[in-house]
Amino acid sequence: MNIRPRRNRKSESIRKLVQETHVSTNDFIFPLFLLEGGNDKVEVDSMPGIYRLGLDHMLKEIEECLKLGVHAFDVFPVVPEHYKDTTATKSYDSNFFYQKALRRIKSEFPDATIMTDVALDPYNSDGHDGIVKDGKILNDETLEVLGKQALSQAECGIDIIGPSDMMDGRVEYIRDVLDAHGHQEVSIMSYTAKYASAFYGPFRDALDSAPKAGDKKTYQMNPANQHEALIEADLDTAEGADFLMVKPAFAYLDVIKLLKDNYSLPIAAYNVSGEYAMLKAASQKGWLDYDKVMAETLMSIKRAGADLILTYHAKEFAQL
Ligand code: PBG
């Protein structure tokens, strides 16, 4: 036999030369959870190592991450129950603690990329991503609130708006609102193929944002469907998205590959809370080597075709 693939695996040096995929801190967006006030720091029970942070702690965290080479962050607010209502009015209140914190973060770290989520669930007393009426999630009425929310975030100097709600037509609607107010430079990273997944459980613990009734299956996609992602990606491309995202990531590598093969826009993957929690839990039991499975997971997501990854592992990977 004269064809011997093992020749290209024979030393660390040769393996490095032929390595096809590389992961670096440049690829990451690190999700952070913001608490009202400055001084609290509370670990998320189902996400060991991930904290809900008051603004002072968050500024320190961002500074530390920047030194490690992580330069992009997605900031989510933990909204106390008494602020929530049925039309998510706090989501577009420029004097709310979240908007104030975003302005502060951007002024302290103008060169970092700051992304925000556009969806009603953290602010909605029903816990859904859209306005609920008679048990139904309303689409077009929700768009109006999403537009106001996106504008209020853009006014804080945010770099990337991330519509995560899966309402129809939201990218175009938000693009129009932003452009009409002079925010042509603000990017939109659409949650293009966001599945109705049970892997979001720990995130909903962190934000206390689980739906009060029903589930999200009338707007988030059926985990059984792959080609439906092409419909969403066609729409988001036509509507003016700057990035297409697949979420979750590790359980949906086929969808990442499908979008990468069919679209020219950068593909983002959201390595979600439940995926993080699995690796942490198994390693705490001594069943998996955390550093190794983390690196392998992130590598696999990139190998499947992701250009960038939203991941709770960002800081730990950078520390390795
Ligand atoms: C809000 C939102 C969710 C996540 C990101 N934005 C939860 C959901 O849709 O229920 C999940 C992130 C994660 O699990 O890490 N629309």
Side-chain angles (χ1 to χ4, degrees), residues 136-150:
K136 286 218 156 102
I137 315 301
L138 305 181
N139 195 89
D140 298 7
E141 292 78 353
T142 297
L143 294 186
E144 280 176 43
V145 186
L146 297 176
K148 292 192 231 174
Q149 186 182 357

Side-chain angles (χ1 to χ4, degrees), residues 69-108:
V70 175
H71 54 85
F73 306 88
D74 193 354
V75 181
F76 293 90
V78 181
V79 179
E81 200 60 37
H82 63 273
Y83 289 126
K84 301 187 184 191
D85 59 27
T86 54
T87 49
T89 47
K90 287 295 176 198
S91 69
Y92 52 87
D93 177 348
S94 61
N95 286 317
F96 197 44
F97 76 90
Y98 180 54
Q99 278 83 346
K100 284 186 192 158
L102 293 175
R103 288 194 287 270
R104 178 79 191 281
I105 291 167
K106 264 320 282 188
S107 78
E108 300 267 334

